[in-house]
Amino acid sequence: MCKEKPISLAPEEVSALILSRLKTAAEASLGQKITNVVLTIPAHFNDSQREATKAAGKIAGFDDVKLIAEPTAAAVAYSFNNADQNPHTFMVFHLGTGNFEITVLTIKDKSTFELKTTLGDAYLGGLISIKCF
């Protein structure tokens, strides 16, 4: 029987614990202090979810916390491998375990992006469950 009292944590406190652990590991690996972070978030996050994510970053010890939607982050990464095709417009689909998101961007050059639209639905998508017998 467990003799410790159960504790309750807000979602941003749980996220902060994870971010704090990742921050510690990154600092140990790099040998320097990390004060800023960019966190990817689902495109469908509302303002309160975005603020909770920023709060988690602050609790974890980051001074500056920036957020970027997951499909937008994927588009930025894609652009670095396709710089010779600039400018161009393309779509990024993100079909997650419980959500579906789409972002349309125009990349003018490696440092200039124009976000046309980003939409998401928290109830599309799905997790495939595989049972092993």
Side-chain angles (χ1 to χ4, degrees), residues 97-133:
T97 56
N99 59 330
F100 176 73
E101 300 161 341
I102 181 173
T103 295
V104 179
L105 295 123
T106 296
I107 298 176
K108 297 179 180 178
D109 57 54
K110 277 194 173 191
S111 62
T112 308
F113 303 88
E114 182 182 347
L115 180 65
K116 301 288 187 180
T117 188
T118 187
L119 302 166
D121 190 313
Y123 302 104
L124 290 175
L127 179 64
I128 298 172
S129 177
I130 301 173
K131 290 186 179 182
C132 297
F133 297 96

Side-chain angles (χ1 to χ4, degrees), residues 34-45:
I34 299 172
T35 59
N36 304 324
V37 66
V38 176
L39 301 173
T40 61
I41 57 170
H44 67 270
F45 262 24

Side-chain angles (χ1 to χ4, degrees), residues 32-78:
Q32 65 184 37
K33 188 170 173 62
I34 299 172
T35 59
N36 304 324
V37 66
V38 176
L39 301 173
T40 61
I41 57 170
H44 67 270
F45 262 24
N46 62 34
D47 287 343
S48 66
Q49 290 168 313
R50 291 171 187 268
E51 287 306 315
T53 303
K54 282 186 173 186
K58 295 285 187 181
I59 294 167
F62 293 104
D63 297 331
D64 189 22
V65 180
K66 302 288 188 211
L67 304 178
I68 186 169
E70 291 164 346
T72 304
V76 170
Y78 168 84

